[in-house]
Amino acid sequence: MFRKAHFLFTILCAGSTTTIMILMSLLYLRVSEHSLQENHFSSFQKDINTIISGLEQSTYVSIQWLSGLEARNSYLIYVIDNDRPFLYNTLKNTLPYGSDDLISQSLLTESLSAFHSRFEVETITLDNNYFGIDHFEYTFTSSAAGESYYSSLIDLERDQTHSQIVILHPLSHLQEQITRQRLLFVFLDLIAALAFSVFSWLFTGRLLTPLQQNHENQMQFIAAASHELRTPLSVILASNECCTHATAEEQAGFFHTIRNEGRRMDHLINDMLTLAHSDTNRFLIEHTAAELDTLCTNAYEAFEPLCCQKQLTLSLTLPDVPLPRCLCDPDRIAQVLAILLHNAVSYTPAGGLVGLSLTYSPERRIAYEIAVSDTGIGISDTDKKQIFHRFYRAEKSRSTKGHFGLGLSIAYDIVTAHHGKISVQDNPRGGSIFVVRLPG
């Protein structure tokens, strides 16, 4: 399930990011190409203006000057003088009329056709001293050459002489530049898509890890709960079966067993409901101003008879001065004290010490510190890392019949809900010390 979700989330994340990136790339590419074409056409217009300036300063058009223009700028130049081909075209074999170079002739024909379809030029009656130059720049695509061109038609009127100069600039270099730019963007998009895919795979995997861990914890919780419930239930069913053929005295023993196992099941189910409420954010914490020293005193008095019964020494250490009240849920904190003291009493052999202490440090954000110590069997460093996990119990010596491994988990959830901290450390005198810190 999580593997499929990982794959689908990766596709969704990488696909959406890559799609946005491609759309932005296409938009940028279009703007870039449009700007590149405009700059290229603007440069062509500036060159035409320079040529016109040269024509205005010259009394005639020389073949050498035209050849220089073609060589420097990769132009194709056609000159028509009084509707007749100029000598320059004849020498270069690029005549618009009667030439064997059909492509060259077609270029001129298509350029003039594109000009006449786009511009309307008024016919001017020329005087003897009239001089004027007009020019028109445009773009056309030649079907004969299979290429696009910038074209400029320069209309020159001088002393009743009408000349036309057609200058063509092929756009093959511009198209190559645009093609290279497109290929570069495709390459970069592919690299980015691959990078996004790898990142999405790692990111979604890390995102799903807590969910997968939570799912595994739930499955382990259900399996452990089923196992813990099966044992007392089996004992109850077996005892009930034995009652059928047992004597009255034997039945009393079986009924006692059934009652004890029923209490164990009730205790386990209550613990499980408490943890379930914590998981669904329905863990009720009613904050009131409580006196922690009073709660510790009550816990001490509740467990003192049990410690005497097990031949343990229970001590209580409180500050000498009255403490300010702590904003907490007194019933829940009392539950934490009961869990910690019950564990300490359960795992401390006869003759051992169990201590309960309370300290207050007003200069700290977490001002209250409650410690429950014992001189019992202790907890290994490995077990310290998992001691607050549900249904976790350390080595077999700590796995007594009355403990399900839920108490410390409940204590951890209660303290966490109070924005406090709970930890365990070694007791220098042997055993363990559980420390609960609560904010002031």
Side-chain angles (χ1 to χ4, degrees), residues 329-393:
D329 188 330
D331 293 334
R332 293 296 188 182
I333 297 302
Q335 185 179 2
V336 172
L337 294 177
I339 291 171
L340 297 180
L341 286 172
H342 188 266
N343 281 349
V345 172
S346 299
Y347 299 126
T348 302
L353 303 176
V354 176
L356 173 62
S357 64
L358 170 65
T359 57
Y360 177 70
S361 303
E363 70 278 1
R364 297 180 181 178
R365 185 184 67 85
I366 302 181
Y368 298 95
E369 182 174 294
I370 302 173
V372 176
S373 61
D374 63 67
T375 56
I377 59 178
I379 303 173
S380 66
D381 293 338
T382 302
D383 293 329
K384 286 188 182 74
K385 299 177 182 179
Q386 307 180 65
I387 198 69
F388 297 106
H389 292 181
R390 297 173 186 182
F391 287 107
Y392 180 82
R393 288 174 291 193

Side-chain angles (χ1 to χ4, degrees), residues 372-422:
V372 176
S373 61
D374 63 67
T375 56
I377 59 178
I379 303 173
S380 66
D381 293 338
T382 302
D383 293 329
K384 286 188 182 74
K385 299 177 182 179
Q386 307 180 65
I387 198 69
F388 297 106
H389 292 181
R390 297 173 186 182
F391 287 107
Y392 180 82
R393 288 174 291 193
E395 63 268 7
K396 295 181 180 180
S397 59
R398 297 187 66 90
S399 302
T400 62
K401 185 177 180 181
H403 293 264
F404 303 102
L406 294 179
L408 291 178
S409 298
I410 295 174
Y412 177 86
D413 288 345
I414 292 175
V415 174
T416 302
H418 282 80
H419 305 288
K421 296 180 180 179
I422 183 172

Side-chain angles (χ1 to χ4, degrees), residues 246-259:
T247 64
E249 183 179 353
E250 292 174 338
Q251 286 181 351
F254 288 132
F255 288 150
H256 178 73
T257 301
I258 291 174
R259 183 170 56 254

